[in-house]
Amino acid sequence: DSYIHQVNALLQLQELLEYPSATRNWNNNTNFCDLTSNPSLNLTCAAGGTLTYLRIVGDKQYVPLGDRLLLLHSITDEPAAAPLSHNNKSLSSDFNFSALIGTLLSFPDLQGIELVSVGLWGSLPAAELNQLSNLQVLNASSNLISGSVPQSLAGLGALRVLALDANAFTGSFPFWLSSNLVSLSLAHNQFTGLIPNFDSLVHLQSLNLGGNSFGPEFPSLGNKLVSVYLGDNQLAGPIPSSLKSLTELQTLDLSGNALSGNPPQFLFELPSIVFLSLARNHLSGILPDNLSLGPFLTFLDVSSNDLSGPLPKAFLSSVNNVTIKYQNNCLATIKQQQEMALYCSSATVAAADTGGHRHRHLAIIAAILGGGVGIGLTICVLSILLLKRWTKSSDEEDNNIVAPEDGCNSSSFASPIGIPSELLINARYIAQSKRLGLLPQPSRTFTLEELKEATNVFNPAAFVGEGSHGKVFKGQLTDKTKVAIKWITIKPNADLQEIKTQMDVLCKLRHHRHLVSILGYCIEENFAGAVDDAGVKKSQSLYVVSEFVEHGDHLRSLLNKKGNRNALSWSERLAAAIGAGRGIHHLHTCVVPPVFDNNLKSTNILLGESMDAQVSDYGILGHLSSFAVNNDKQDIYNYGLILLEMVLGRPPTIKNPFPQKRSELERLTKEKGPSMELIDKGIVGMCGAESLATVLEIAGKCMLDNPAKRPSMEDVLWNLQYAAQVHNSSAANNSADEYDARREEFQKAPASTDRRHSGGYIQDTQVSDEDRKAGPSAFASEFLR
Ligand SMILES: Nc1ncnc2c1ncn2[C@@H]1O[C@H](COP(=O)(O)OP(=O)(O)OP(=O)(O)O)[C@@H](O)[C@H]1O
C-alpha cells in the first residue's frame, strides 16, 4: 500500500512540475527505486523501498546575459560576476507551490530534495515547508522563487545544506537558519542588509552569498569555513583582522565590493588558502616586498584596486605555479597594464586623505579646479575617472581581450554559485575541490601496464573508433574514472621532450568546459619491440588519456540525418559551434605559449549527454606534424569549414559555395537563391535569414585565402552569438525591426581598439570599419567562457 501511495505521489509530483524531461519515462509501472541516476535525476530509496532523496534538474534554467548557463553541473566555468536574467520559462500560472510541498510530505523518510531549474515561482509556502522536519538537503536553486525566506525554515532543524541561489528572493538575511548547516548558498538573489555573525553556525564549511546587495559591514565568519564567496555585494571598509583565524579556508572571493584600506598581509599567507580574489575593490597602499604566499595558493587576484609601489618579490618569482592578476592598479610594473599616471597620482593622494573611493573622485576634481587648472584638463581627468569606473564595472570581461591571462584562468576555478550540495553530504569535498580546480593538480604520467589494465589489454571490446592518427579505446582506471585512450604512433625521430612538455601544458587545461580534459599520457618508446637494422627503435607510441565523453556523439553525426528526429536544430548547431569556439579561444589566448593547429573538424567536436560541445584532439597532433603553423589562422580556416558543414549538413566538397558579400547573402537567404538549395534540409526554413547570413558571412571570412585577413576567434564568436540571438528572437518575434534594433544594440557597445593581447602572440587582423560594423570585439568577452 505504502509503495503504491509513493508511486502515486511521484506521478503527482511529475504532473505538478508539468512533466520535466528528466521524468519523461515515468509511469505507473516505473520501478522508481531502480532508476539509474544521472545529473538531472536521482531517486534514492532506503532498504524498505521508501524514498529518501529526490533530485530533479529541469531545463528552465537561469540564463545569464550572453548565453552563459548557470546549471549546477556547469559551475566550473562561471566567472565571478555574471549578470543574470531568466529565460522566462517558469511553470504555468496553474502551478501550486503549496500542493507541491504537500506532495513531498507524502514521503516520510525524505532527507534530501533538489528541484533545480524546474521553473518554481511564487514565495516559499511557509507552513508546509515547516513540516519537512527530516530534511537535510534543500536545493531549490535556479528557479524564480520570490519574496523573503520564511522564518518557518527555522523548523528544519536537521538541515545541513541549503541552496536557494539564482532565484528572485528579496529581504534580509534569514537569521533563523539551523545551526547544523554545513553549506549555505543564497547567491544571485536580491538580498539586502547586514550579514549576521556566523559564529553560531559552527559546522558551516561553505558559504556563498555572492551577487546580492549585502553590506556594508563585514560579517564575522566562523573559523570552520572552507569556502567563502561574498563577491559582488556592498561590503565596505577595511578587511577585518578576524579573518586570520580562518585556518581551514581554501577559497575566499571578496571581489566587486567597496573594501578599502591596505589588504592585510595575513590573507595572502593563510595556511590553507588556494583561491583568493580581492579584485574590483578600493584597496590601496603598498604591498610589502617580502609578502609571502600560502603554500597551497594557486590563484590570486588583486586587480582593479588602487595598490601602488613595486611588485612584491613573491609576485615575480612564483608566476609559474601561481596565477596572479594585478592589472588596473598603480603598481610600478610594465608586466600587467596599470592605470594612467594622472589617475594614479591623484589616487594615492586622495586614498591617503579620505580612504574612500567615491570621495576621491570629488577630491581630485576639486583640487584641479581649485588650483586653477584649465577646463580641458578637468575634462581629461573626468574622462579618466569615467574610464576607470567603466573598467571597474566591467573589468573582468574587458580585460579578457587585452591581456592573455585575463578571463582565462578564472574559468578554471569554481564559480560563486557554490559547491553542489550533495558533495558536502557525500563528504567528498576535497576530492571535488580538486575536480573544480581549487587545488593544484600535477599532470599525470601513466604506465603502459595501467593502461593495459584499464582496457583489458586493449581488448577489441574496448575499441571505440579509429581516426587518422590512431585508435581510441575506452578504459576504466582503478579509481573508476572512465577514460578514452588514444594510441598514436609517433615518428622514431620525434622530439620526446617537446611532446612531454606539450602534454604537460595540455593537462593543465583540464577544467575548461569546452575542452575534453586530458588527464595524462604515457610514452612507450619501444612497445612493439621492433628494431631496425641499425638497432634504432622503430616504433614509439604516445597514449593520450582523456576523460571519456559519455553518451557522446560528434557534431558530424548529428548533422545530416535525413528524417532523423535527432538531427540538431539550428540553435543547437549554433550552441555547439559557440561552445567549441570558446574552447578554441581558450587555447588561442589563455595559454602561454598559445596552443594552435588543433586538428579542428566536426568529428572532433564531441557533444556529451547535456549537448555541451567539447573539443577533443587539440594541441598534440599539430605538434607531431612537421607543418605546424605558429598562429591561429589555420584553426580559424578549419573552424570556417565546420561552420559551413553545419549549414550544409555534410563536409563541404567545393570551396565555399556561398557569396562573400553580406548584402548578397542577405538577399539570398531571404529570397532563396540556388546556393540555398545546398543547405541541410534539417534546417531549411527553421533558421532565420539574418542568422544564417551572419554565419555564412563569418564562415566565408574564416576561409579567406589570405590568412592575415581571417578574423580572430573573438570576432567569430561575436558573430555567432549575434546569429544565435537574432535566431532566438526571430523564433519569438519575426520582425525586421527587431533585427535592426538588435544590430544597433550590438553596434553601440564600446569597441576595443587593441585586440592583440599584450604578449603579441597573436597577429590579429587589422580592424577595418567593416569589421567594426560587424561587431565590436569588446562585446566578445560576454561569451568567451
Ligand atoms: N574523449 C572521448 N570520449 C569518447 N569518445 C571519444 C573520445 N575521443 C575520441 N572519441 C571517439 O573515438 C573515435 C575516434 O576518434 P579520433 O579522434 O581518433 O578520430 P577522428 O576524430 O575521427 O579522426 P582524427 O584522428 O583525424 O581526428 C571517434 O568516434 C570519437 O568520437
Side-chain angles (χ1 to χ4, degrees):
D1 259 14
S2 70
Y3 182 73
I4 292 171
H5 184 64
Q6 181 166 299
V7 170
N8 287 339
L10 280 165
L11 294 176
Q12 195 176 344
L13 188 72
Q14 179 193 29
E15 190 185 334
L16 285 164
L17 292 176
E18 297 167 12
Y19 303 92
S21 52
T23 70
R24 197 177 351 188
N25 302 323
W26 290 11
N27 58 44
N28 273 323
N29 302 320
T30 305
N31 194 347
F32 287 100
C33 291
D34 288 345
L35 290 176
T36 330
S37 294
N38 62 44
S40 309
L41 184 74
N42 178 8
L43 268 66
T44 309
C45 298
T50 57
L51 192 73
T52 54
Y53 198 95
L54 169 75
R55 175 177 62 220
I56 299 175
V57 180
D59 54 8
K60 297 179 167 59
Q61 70 271 34
Y62 237 105
V63 180
L65 298 179
D67 182 46
R68 280 175 274 165
L69 304 184
L70 263 188
L71 285 173
L72 269 185
H73 60 261
S74 70
I75 67 168
T76 51
D77 276 335
E78 287 307 311
L84 304 172
S85 72
H86 275 288
N87 60 357
N88 286 332
K89 281 202 249 164
S90 61
L91 292 170
S92 70
S93 56
D94 294 338
F95 169 65
N96 182 338
F97 216 147
S98 302
L100 178 85
I101 307 291
T103 307
L104 293 171
L105 286 169
S106 327
F107 309 112
D109 297 332
L110 202 58
Q111 294 173 6
I113 302 173
E114 296 193 65
L115 296 174
V116 176
S117 302
V118 290
L120 304 177
W121 63 269
S123 1
L124 285 176
E128 289 83 357
L129 259 185
N130 198 17
Q131 296 171 49
L132 286 165
S133 51
N134 288 335
L135 216 55
Q136 294 186 29
V137 176
L138 176 58
N139 178 0
S141 56
S142 185
N143 284 294
L144 278 158
I145 310 173
S146 53
S148 55
V149 177
Q151 204 153 351
S152 63
L153 275 189
L156 308 186
L159 206 61
R160 285 157 52 77
V161 172
L162 178 61
L164 300 176
D165 43 279
N167 274 287
F169 283 106
T170 48
S172 53
F173 187 93
F175 294 92
W176 44 82
L177 295 171
S178 152
S179 60
N180 286 320
L181 274 183
V182 178
S183 168
L184 172 64
S185 179
L186 303 175
H188 296 301
N189 280 290
Q190 294 149 36
F191 288 108
T192 49
L194 290 183
I195 305 176
N197 185 329
F198 283 96
D199 293 342
S200 62
L201 298 180
V202 286
H203 302 291
L204 198 64
Q205 289 182 26
S206 168
L207 175 67
N208 183 358
L209 304 179
N212 282 289
S213 298
F214 285 123
E217 247 158 77
F218 203 101
S220 155
L221 302 168
N223 52 18
K224 280 277 180 298
L225 278 160
V226 175
S227 79
V228 173
Y229 291 97
L230 298 174
D232 291 294
N233 275 292
Q234 291 177 9
L235 302 176
I239 298 173
S241 57
S242 57
L243 292 185
K244 203 172 188 165
S245 61
L246 295 173
T247 51
E248 318 260 309
L249 196 64
Q250 293 179 14
T251 304
L252 179 62
D253 186 345
L254 303 176
S255 60
N257 281 288
L259 298 167
S260 56
N262 203 344
Q265 205 167 333
F266 69 79
L267 264 193
F268 299 88
E269 50 194 41
L270 282 171
S272 308
I273 196 81
V274 174
F275 176 104
L276 175 62
S277 179
L278 307 174
R280 293 182 291 121
N281 277 291
H282 310 315
L283 299 169
S284 58
I286 296 174
L287 295 171
D289 191 41
N290 61 355
L291 185 81
S292 61
L293 305 179
F296 299 109
L297 193 68
T298 62
F299 181 85
L300 170 63
D301 190 352
V302 293
S303 59
S304 298
N305 277 290
D306 298 331
L307 298 169
S308 51
L311 282 186
K313 271 200 212 75
F315 278 30
L316 293 167
S317 57
S318 61
V319 253
N320 290 332
N321 350 343
V322 190
T323 301
I324 304 180
K325 297 170 77 173
Y326 46 80
Q327 74 273 2
N328 291 87
N329 277 288
C330 295
L331 292 160
T333 173
I334 50 162
K335 291 194 83 163
Q336 292 185 20
Q337 196 179 341
Q338 299 296 309
E339 291 301 332
M340 288 176 225
L342 181 55
Y343 170 84
C344 286
S345 52
S346 337
T348 28
V349 174
D353 284 353
T354 66
H357 196 70
R358 287 183 198 111
H359 296 153
R360 192 180 69 209
H361 292 172
L362 295 174
I364 305 166
I365 297 163
I368 291 170
L369 289 176
V373 182
I375 195 122
L377 188 52
T378 313
I379 291 170
C380 175
V381 171
L382 279 170
S383 322
I384 294 168
L385 294 175
L386 283 173
L387 189 70
K388 169 88 180 173
R389 274 189 65 179
W390 181 70
T391 337
K392 288 235 175 212
S393 59
S394 54
D395 139 80
E396 292 276 324
E397 263 91 7
D398 299 327
N399 284 314
N400 224 347
I401 291 158
V402 182
E405 58 273 88
D406 298 338
C408 295
N409 293 301
S410 59
S411 65
S412 300
F413 294 90
S415 87
I417 78 160
I419 312 290
S421 49
E422 71 266 35
L423 303 179
L424 289 160
I425 287 291
N426 293 348
R428 284 194 277 116
Y429 179 77
I430 296 298
Q432 191 64 19
S433 310
K434 276 197 177 151
R435 197 180 71 73
L436 297 175
L438 292 175
L439 299 178
Q441 278 179 312
S443 65
R444 171 148 179 220
T445 39
F446 290 87
T447 63
L448 191 55
E449 282 314 306
E450 275 175 283
L451 301 186
K452 282 182 180 168
E453 198 184 321
T455 54
N456 201 1
V457 201
F458 296 98
N459 194 306
F463 177 71
V464 180
E466 182 163 9
S468 44
H469 295 87
K471 296 186 165 77
V472 175
F473 290 85
K474 181 177 182 178
Q476 181 165 318
L477 303 178
T478 43
D479 68 358
K480 301 262 183 289
T481 311
K482 300 224 171 58
V483 290
I485 301 170
K486 185 160 191 165
W487 179 355
I488 305 167
T489 304
I490 44 180
K491 291 192 207 99
N493 57 352
D495 182 343
L496 291 190
Q497 192 47 51
E498 195 192 329
I499 294 173
K500 285 178 187 164
T501 310
Q502 178 72 356
M503 290 309 304
D504 287 338
V505 169
L506 299 180
C507 287
K508 288 194 182 128
L509 301 175
R510 84 184 74 154
H511 302 296
H512 198 278
R513 173 175 163 189
H514 298 293
L515 297 175
V516 171
S517 296
I518 297 179
L519 307 176
Y521 63 98
C522 163
I523 291 183
E524 182 64 19
E525 297 196 22
N526 199 4
F527 175 59
V531 171
D532 72 8
D533 297 344
V536 180
K537 279 174 253 159
K538 265 186 178 165
S539 158
Q540 300 185 102
S541 296
L542 166 68
Y543 301 85
V544 182
V545 183
S546 327
E547 67 173 301
F548 191 84
V549 180
E550 202 74 57
H551 308 299
D553 243 324
H554 53 70
L555 181 61
R556 179 171 299 166
S557 68
L558 293 173
L559 290 177
N560 191 23
K561 288 196 172 174
K562 285 183 194 129
N564 187 331
R565 286 191 307 130
N566 289 335
L568 295 179
S569 67
W570 181 240
S571 47
E572 285 169 332
R573 290 175 200 210
L574 286 173
I578 291 171
R582 288 174 186 164
I584 299 158
H585 176 266
H586 192 78
L587 295 168
H588 287 179
T589 58
C590 297
V591 195
V592 181
V595 180
F596 297 132
D597 217 359
N598 288 299
N599 191 31
L600 297 179
K601 46 187 155 185
S602 56
T603 52
N604 282 340
I605 297 176
L606 303 181
L607 295 161
E609 213 170 8
S610 56
M611 283 302 183
D612 236 2
Q614 285 178 281
V615 181
S616 76
D617 257 6
Y618 53 89
I620 187 66
L621 295 177
H623 232 74
L624 297 175
S625 112
S626 36
F627 303 106
V629 186
N630 202 21
N631 65 38
D632 59 335
K633 300 308 176 194
Q634 184 58 42
D635 278 353
I636 297 291
Y637 182 88
N638 293 342
Y639 188 80
L641 282 174
I642 296 175
L643 291 180
L644 272 193
E645 185 172 343
M646 248 173 47
V647 174
L648 300 171
R650 55 178 164 72
T653 44
I654 42 171
K655 235 184 147 186
N656 188 4
F658 298 97
Q660 286 181 16
K661 269 199 165 161
R662 175 80 194 190
S663 52
E664 270 179 60
L665 278 171
E666 274 177 13
R667 193 177 47 75
L668 267 182
T669 46
K670 277 183 194 136
E671 294 164 12
K672 305 203 173 48
S675 49
M676 288 299 114
E677 305 282 308
L678 298 171
I679 75 167
D680 187 355
K681 300 293 166 283
I683 53 166
V684 176
M686 313 290 258
C687 50
E690 169 88 353
S691 179
L692 183 60
T694 305
V695 172
L696 290 175
E697 184 190 26
I698 195 70
K701 285 187 180 171
C702 289
M703 292 170 65
L704 286 174
D705 289 336
N706 180 353
K709 292 214 158 130
R710 294 174 199 155
S712 71
M713 206 63 219
E714 281 158 31
D715 289 334
V716 177
L717 278 168
W718 186 90
N719 280 277
L720 294 182
Q721 181 76 11
Y722 172 73
Q725 292 209 0
V726 285
H727 174 66
N728 288 341
S729 71
S730 75
N733 172 10
N734 211 348
S735 92
D737 293 355
E738 172 82 359
Y739 292 143
D740 292 346
R742 274 185 179 271
R743 188 159 267 279
E744 226 168 73
E745 192 184 300
F746 265 65
Q747 283 168 3
K748 260 191 254 153
S752 157
T753 45
D754 184 2
R755 298 177 180 205
R756 295 157 206 234
H757 63 55
S758 57
Y761 290 97
I762 292 183
Q763 289 303 305
D764 218 343
T765 326
Q766 197 66 39
V767 189
S768 67
D769 282 343
E770 200 181 274
D771 277 343
R772 203 181 297 286
K773 234 186 272 161
S777 80
F779 234 52
S781 52
E782 273 281 301
F783 49 85
L784 290 180
R785 321 233 176 201

